[in-house]
Amino acid sequence: MSSAEQERLHATAVAVKGCAALLIGPSGSGKSSLALQLLSLGAKLVADDQCLLSSENDALMVARPDTLPELIEARGFGLLKVPMATAASVRLVVDLAEVTDARIPEDEAMSFLGHQVKMIKKSQSAHFPAAVLLYLQSISAT
C-alpha cells in the first residue's frame, strides 16, 4: 500500500465486531481513559496513542502500527495488556477536544483519506461510554 493511501494519526481506536470508534483529541484529553471504559464494557483495543488509517475496499480502516505494543496506558497505573482487535472499519469519530451538552446534537462528520465518518463531541454525562458502545453495536448488526 502506498503512503498516499495511509495516514498515521495521534489517536486511540477501539472496536466492536469489526466497527471502530476513533478517539481523537490533544494529549491528556481522555482518549485512553474513554478507551479503558469502553474496554470494560466489552470493546477491544485496536491501537492506543497512534493509529494507522488506510482506505480499503471503499472503507476507512484503522490498525495498530507494527511498532506499537499491544498495550494501553492507564495513567497512574501503567501499561496494561487488554483484549485486542485487528484492523477495523472506522464508523465513528469521538472528538474529545470539545464538549457538548446538547441532548440531540447536530449531525457532524470528519473526513480522512476521502471518507466521511460520523463525528460526535465529548459529553460529560455518565452514560457517554455506554452510548458509544451501543452505537458501535447497533451499526455492527447492520
Side-chain angles (χ1 to χ4, degrees), residues 63-132:
R64 179 184 57 82
D66 291 338
T67 55
L68 290 183
E70 294 183 349
L71 301 168
I72 189 168
E73 179 185 345
R75 286 185 192 238
F77 201 89
L79 297 174
L80 299 174
K81 180 88 173 142
V82 296
M84 296 295 297
T86 57
S89 175
V90 178
R91 305 294 294 276
L92 180 68
V93 176
V94 181
D95 184 354
L96 298 171
E98 290 191 57
V99 177
T100 184
D101 62 356
R103 291 180 66 180
I104 302 176
E106 301 271 333
D107 285 341
E108 294 188 61
M110 291 190 78
S111 181
F112 298 94
L113 300 174
H115 295 272
Q116 291 288 317
V117 182
K118 178 181 177 70
M119 189 272 296
I120 60 172
K121 295 174 183 164
K122 180 179 182 177
S123 169
Q124 299 289 22
S125 63
H127 68 268
F128 187 65
V132 170

Side-chain angles (χ1 to χ4, degrees), residues 1-75:
M1 183 163 295
S2 72
S3 61
E5 297 170 308
Q6 292 185 343
E7 180 179 342
R8 194 171 180 134
L9 186 67
H10 178 72
T12 294
V14 298
V16 174
K17 297 180 184 176
C19 295
L22 191 62
L23 313 178
I24 64 171
S27 182
S29 62
K31 295 179 297 292
S32 295
S33 178
L34 177 57
L36 285 164
Q37 290 173 309
L38 291 165
L39 292 169
S40 74
L41 295 171
K44 292 183 178 181
L45 182 68
V46 176
D48 184 39
D49 194 47
Q50 294 288 319
C51 293
L52 186 62
L53 300 178
S54 61
S55 181
E56 298 176 23
N57 301 323
D58 296 326
L60 179 65
M61 302 298 291
V62 62
R64 179 184 57 82
D66 291 338
T67 55
L68 290 183
E70 294 183 349
L71 301 168
I72 189 168
E73 179 185 345
R75 286 185 192 238

